[in-house]
Amino acid sequence: MKKKFLTGIILASTTWLLAACGGSGTQPTDTTKEQGKTQGTDTAEQVIEIGVPTEIVTIDTIQATDKNTFTVLHQIYEGLYRLDHNSQPVPAIAKDVAISDDGKEYVFTLREDAKWSNGEQITADDFVYAWKKLVDPDTGAPNAYLLDNVANSLAIRTEKQPVDDLGVSAPEPDQFKVVLEQPQASFLTLLSIVWLAPQNQSYVEEQDKDFGIDSEHALFNGPFILTEWEQGGDTWTLKKNPEYYRADEVKLSEVKGQTMKEENTGINLYQTGDIDLTKISGQYVAELQDDPGFVSHSDIANNFIDFNQKEGTPLANVHLRKAISLAIDKEGLAQNVLNDGAKPLNGLIPHDLFTHPETKEEFRSYSGEYALHDVKKAQKEWTEAQKELGKEITLSLLVSDDDSGRKVSEYVQNQLQENLEGLSIEIHQQPKTNVNQSRREKDYELSISGWLAGDNNLDIYFNLYVTDSAYNYAGYSNQSYDELTKAAKTVNANDVTKMFEDYKKAEKILLEEDAAQVPLYQSASNYLINPKIKEIGYPSYGCYFYLGDAYLEE
């Protein structure tokens, strides 16, 4: 079988993971301005202190879900590939890969100097074990669906085939083979997120239930090792990993971390020079955007209104959904309410997720804009809805109970009630975890939610509304939409032009014809960072920042 070998930066065969071919938020920000004071510890020691908004939930890559946890995991683990400062996948534990001409078979050759933090060699069996564990129904891994395109994975995940049938193998100790169901242009980007990092089977099984309960019961293979951490703890330390194959390129010797549950606390510690990095949002962005250490990056995310379209309920009416979709001024929401770097979004797919490798046009620009603010059209649709549903309608709006949820929901409530006379919106706030549970149980009418891209695969967003998708909480179903999205990821997966055409038609059906979702805005991540810290990476996917190349300027 003829194969193509790739080393270094992968361009032609991978253009998905969030902003695969480049885009806003992928370039490292220049933070060379002097702040007028020395922050953190002695720069000669290359030690920094950072604050993160939430605690580390788990250090088991197979069980992690939230981006704050993944941000720490990306400092201590590494998979076959990693993302460079342009969010492009580059070889990591794998030194190269051979890809079959049909795009369905990958054979990775591992580095000879890839080792665990205890000095043991990383082998292909470590990947076989981790990937099988991920899709094993007994594991209950939240991200098991990510491997659905690996041969037999979906059938295994749904308990129709045994785990050993997974399309992965280790022909040699240093060769890891993967067989896909369909070509997947974004596959190498997917591999760059540590949810597909290896695990040392003998070590994991030896630790049994103690595996990952604290930093003393885990092995690491990234630029740092984790110390002084236990589950539920608010403090931890990263130390340079001497066994890491790029150890001579890692400049920071130590990173001290702590949870900053109150943003004001992190800001105060930053301003007094006690920490070097802290995340900020909301009103603090407007107040501190002129600080020399202010850094902002656009998220590859869609924050949207979702409709529960249960038959016999008001929101099963397409005219009502269209009226709501057209009645909201997204520019006002982004600029006047959020005012934190967020941008209006008028499509299912966020900006900079996927760029055509030949035309260099990103999908959002190619597909155009939908659900644009138009009060007159909204009122016309509202009149049609009233003919079937009555003059007055009350709907509940499910949102998270944080500051952002409150502000966005109150703005949406005001817009809808002001522009659609006779429509009343009742806001119901719940903790974020409860919101997700309520949506899964279809216990809502309207909801404000979001989907943050894990990589640059367009289908991750389109799959949300496929009829039988586990994430189709809205109960949406359209045969033409299903057929187009299926064709895009199967028969047209190797032809990006045709894939774009399929997805554009599907997006038009979803947002214009059926008004099944109302895209609202694309969020941003904002920080205060000591300007003396150089070369922090801000990948579009997987984590908020990467410290493997960072250093303190003396």
Side-chain angles (χ1 to χ4, degrees), residues 433-488:
T433 53
N434 291 18
V435 169
N436 291 333
Q437 183 66 25
S438 294
R439 293 185 69 235
R440 279 193 292 269
E441 296 174 353
K442 304 186 187 302
D443 185 18
Y444 73 102
E445 290 183 306
L446 296 167
S447 74
I448 294 178
S449 188
W451 195 261
L452 187 68
D455 54 44
N456 62 344
N457 186 355
L458 290 167
D459 191 63
I460 285 181
Y461 282 90
F462 284 99
N463 182 60
L464 297 175
Y465 293 95
V466 171
T467 297
D468 60 356
S469 169
Y471 294 92
N472 185 0
Y473 306 139
Y476 174 74
S477 181
N478 183 299
Q479 184 177 350
S480 295
Y481 176 89
D482 290 350
E483 291 173 352
L484 285 164
T485 56
K486 183 178 181 179

Side-chain angles (χ1 to χ4, degrees), residues 37-50 237-238 251-258 269-270 272-277 530 532-533 551-554:
K37 63 180 185 296
T38 299
Q39 294 196 354
T41 56
D42 184 0
T43 57
E45 297 180 8
Q46 293 295 310
V47 176
I48 65 172
E49 299 193 27
I50 67 175
T237 300
L238 301 177
K251 302 299 189 296
L252 294 176
S253 60
E254 189 170 285
V255 180
K256 298 179 180 179
Q258 58 180 305
L269 290 172
Y270 174 83
T272 58
D274 292 308
I275 63 172
D276 298 286
L277 181 154
N530 179 357
K532 291 187 175 183
I533 303 177
Y551 64 93
L552 266 172
E553 186 177 66
E554 296 187 26

Side-chain angles (χ1 to χ4, degrees), residues 54-73:
T54 60
E55 64 188 38
I56 302 171
V57 177
T58 178
I59 55 173
D60 184 348
T61 53
I62 288 176
Q63 295 297 339
T65 56
D66 70 286
K67 197 169 181 179
N68 287 300
T69 293
F70 269 116
T71 296
V72 177
L73 297 186

Side-chain angles (χ1 to χ4, degrees), residues 171-192:
E172 300 290 340
D174 66 342
Q175 287 191 345
F176 178 57
K177 181 178 179 180
V178 182
V179 179
L180 303 181
E181 298 279 1
Q182 303 292 339
Q184 186 173 337
S186 57
F187 191 55
L188 294 182
T189 304
L190 178 68
L191 301 184
S192 302

Side-chain angles (χ1 to χ4, degrees), residues 45-47 75-76 117 220-227 237-256 547-548 550:
E45 297 180 8
Q46 293 295 310
V47 176
Q75 320 306 321
I76 58 179
S117 52
F220 312 105
N221 73 327
F224 301 96
I225 61 173
L226 180 68
T227 65
T237 300
L238 301 177
K239 294 184 178 181
K240 181 175 177 177
N241 180 6
E243 299 293 344
Y244 182 52
Y245 66 90
R246 286 198 312 131
D248 59 340
E249 299 176 31
V250 178
K251 302 299 189 296
L252 294 176
S253 60
E254 189 170 285
V255 180
K256 298 179 180 179
L547 301 174

Side-chain angles (χ1 to χ4, degrees), residues 266-507:
I267 292 168
N268 289 337
L269 290 172
Y270 174 83
Q271 291 177 333
T272 58
D274 292 308
I275 63 172
D276 298 286
L277 181 154
T278 191
K279 203 165 186 287
I280 61 173
S281 62
Q283 67 184 50
Y284 296 119
V285 174
E287 294 174 4
L288 297 166
Q289 59 184 348
D290 293 329
D291 188 284
F294 177 73
V295 175
S296 182
H297 291 277
S298 181
D299 296 328
I300 312 298
N302 177 356
N303 294 273
F304 57 88
I305 295 176
D306 198 29
F307 304 104
N308 185 343
Q309 300 177 43
K310 183 178 179 181
E311 187 176 353
T313 64
L315 289 170
N317 184 287
V318 68
H319 296 293
L320 176 56
R321 299 197 304 272
K322 287 183 177 181
I324 292 172
S325 176
L326 298 166
I328 301 168
D329 180 3
K330 302 172 190 177
E331 290 279 353
L333 172 61
Q335 296 178 10
N336 303 324
V337 178
L338 295 170
N339 193 25
D340 62 355
K343 300 175 182 178
L345 183 61
N346 297 305
L348 172 69
I349 302 301
H351 291 279
D352 302 317
L353 176 67
F354 189 101
T355 299
H356 195 299
E358 297 172 2
T359 68
K360 306 305 178 185
E361 184 176 24
E362 62 135 341
F363 180 81
R364 180 71 279 126
S365 298
Y366 168 84
S367 186
E369 295 187 317
Y370 305 91
L372 292 170
H373 180 228
D374 191 321
V375 175
K376 288 186 178 180
K377 287 184 179 180
Q379 291 173 343
K380 183 178 179 181
E381 294 289 349
W382 173 235
T383 299
E384 292 299 314
Q386 287 178 307
K387 291 178 182 179
E388 301 177 24
L389 303 173
K391 292 292 183 181
E392 296 185 355
I393 299 173
T394 300
L395 298 172
S396 63
L397 176 61
L398 177 66
V399 298
S400 59
D401 61 358
D402 54 17
D403 183 59
S404 176
R406 178 187 59 79
K407 289 193 299 184
V408 174
S409 62
E410 289 178 356
Y411 178 83
V412 168
Q413 179 189 51
N414 178 268
Q415 288 278 293
L416 296 180
Q417 293 181 167
E418 181 179 305
N419 294 327
L420 305 176
E421 185 176 354
L423 178 62
S424 297
I425 303 296
E426 297 178 349
I427 297 173
H428 291 270
Q429 288 189 296
Q430 295 181 359
K432 280 187 178 181
T433 53
N434 291 18
V435 169
N436 291 333
Q437 183 66 25
S438 294
R439 293 185 69 235
R440 279 193 292 269
E441 296 174 353
K442 304 186 187 302
D443 185 18
Y444 73 102
E445 290 183 306
L446 296 167
S447 74
I448 294 178
S449 188
W451 195 261
L452 187 68
D455 54 44
N456 62 344
N457 186 355
L458 290 167
D459 191 63
I460 285 181
Y461 282 90
F462 284 99
N463 182 60
L464 297 175
Y465 293 95
V466 171
T467 297
D468 60 356
S469 169
Y471 294 92
N472 185 0
Y473 306 139
Y476 174 74
S477 181
N478 183 299
Q479 184 177 350
S480 295
Y481 176 89
D482 290 350
E483 291 173 352
L484 285 164
T485 56
K486 183 178 181 179
K489 65 181 180 181
T490 54
V491 296
N492 293 329
N494 261 354
D495 187 330
V496 178
T497 298
K498 290 182 178 179
M499 180 181 72
F500 266 35
E501 292 172 356
D502 290 336
Y503 279 138
K504 179 177 181 177
K505 292 175 183 177
E507 191 173 38

